[in-house]
Amino acid sequence: MENWLSSRHFQSILFNQSFWINSAIVIVATLVIYWLLRTLIRFISNRIARYSEHRHVRATGIVVEILRSTSQSLLLIFSLLIALKFVDLPASWSVAISHGWFLALIVQLALWIDCGIRLWLQSLLRDPLHVRNPVTTVILGILLRVVVWIMMFLAILSNMGINITALVASLGVGGIAIALAIQTVLSDVFASLAIGFDKPFEHGDFIVFGDIAGSIEHIGLKTTRLRSLSGEQIVCSNTILLQQTIHNYKRMQQRRIVFKFGISYATPSEQVREISPLVKEIIQSVETTRFDRAHFLAFEDSKLTFEVVYFVLDADYNKYMDIQQEINLQLMAALEQRNIRFAFPIRQVEFSGGNLPPVDLVAVDNEDGEVRRVAR
């Protein structure tokens, strides 16, 4: 009996003229609307692309790519939902259609945001003016995209009438438990993100912290690797690295140099007064330097001490050493011309209380080897 009734119902639908007319209207309207939507999206994206070429605006290029990534399947579903408005449908279908609208819209919105995040991060990596850590960029992209799709999933569940409060609470408790279990790893991951955003150093920088010095080779998810001056690779945890005071010599724009030298106490005061202007003249004659000061600093053991301060307008250490060598050589030559001697350590011994023992001074004749007494 049930089979007979179902067959009768099927035949009534099959030979129902209004059913076929409504179906034809829906199909034709769907195809037309689908073609119109595709044409509209293509027109808008082309206009924005031409605007971007003339104005050289990078953000509009991302908008064009987002529009062109519109899902054709979802566009067809949108066209079908619009076409269903042209026919009379049972009241029970209205709820299903409203859910369909929401699902299609939220999924397409999530796809657009996901595409926008991906294109934005790619543009950051391709930026020639700012070199960014690719590991940090990948981590940021994963986190943002996970948040987008989780929010989309929760919105769909909420639209379907499911209470998501308990689910969100469960996810929160589970997330806390996982975070406690891998807190060491997470601390290094967030330290990597901090390095990527704050940029205390980048790939290729020469840094010094503690007793470690080296060039940055790789900034990873958990560790940072350096190449030391002696050649070995140094691997350091990101968290521990950020806890150090870091000296970044790659970003040094100029180098302040302080050096001292001493001259003999036998130098007359008039010549001592000439030395500071002489040092200034020597430093100013060397390229990529800026003279600051040169002063007779102090009376020290066995020498009259001068202190000199100047700047090397280049961060290259080898360049600094070449300049310092040139200054030293010119200073030696200038002092030699003025018969000014550099100081050397002198120790004076004073004998008191008694008589000095006799001392024989002898000399050896190099030609015949004969020993001759010189003094007693």
Side-chain angles (χ1 to χ4, degrees), residues 164-212:
I164 63 172
T165 304
L167 179 60
V168 173
S170 300
L171 291 175
V173 173
I176 294 174
I178 295 174
L180 291 175
I182 57 172
Q183 56 181 337
T184 304
V185 177
L186 287 178
S187 64
D188 287 325
V189 171
F190 284 110
S192 177
L193 289 174
I195 292 172
F197 286 117
D198 193 44
K199 294 183 177 58
F201 50 82
E202 296 175 340
H203 183 273
D205 289 1
F206 184 85
I207 66 171
V208 175
F209 60 96
D211 57 349
I212 297 175

Side-chain angles (χ1 to χ4, degrees), residues 121 125 133-145 193:
L121 295 177
L125 290 176
N133 181 16
V135 176
T136 304
T137 307
V138 170
I139 295 173
L140 178 62
I142 292 174
L143 292 177
L144 291 176
R145 295 168 75 178
L193 289 174

Side-chain angles (χ1 to χ4, degrees), residues 296-370:
F296 173 31
L297 178 64
F299 298 92
E300 296 185 357
D301 294 341
S302 308
K303 61 181 178 180
L304 304 175
T305 302
F306 281 80
E307 184 179 70
V308 182
V309 180
Y310 71 97
F311 292 89
V312 177
L313 307 180
D314 196 312
D316 187 11
Y317 186 80
N318 291 332
K319 182 69 173 178
Y320 149 64
M321 290 302 299
D322 292 339
I323 290 173
Q324 185 63 55
Q325 176 179 259
E326 180 64 23
I327 292 173
N328 292 340
L329 292 174
Q330 290 192 30
L331 182 60
M332 288 181 64
L335 294 183
E336 286 177 1
Q337 291 177 359
R338 291 163 176 78
N339 294 321
I340 300 175
R341 299 176 59 188
F342 285 101
F344 56 88
I346 298 176
R347 184 174 298 276
Q348 181 176 350
V349 179
E350 186 174 327
F351 183 82
S352 61
N355 298 321
L356 287 173
V359 178
D360 290 337
L361 301 178
V362 297
V364 178
D365 191 343
N366 293 331
E367 295 181 358
D368 54 9
E370 182 181 355

Side-chain angles (χ1 to χ4, degrees), residues 207-214 226 234 236 240-241 244-247:
I207 66 171
V208 175
F209 60 96
D211 57 349
I212 297 175
L226 300 87
I234 301 173
C236 184
I240 296 175
L241 186 58
Q244 309 290 324
T245 300
I246 300 173
H247 302 265

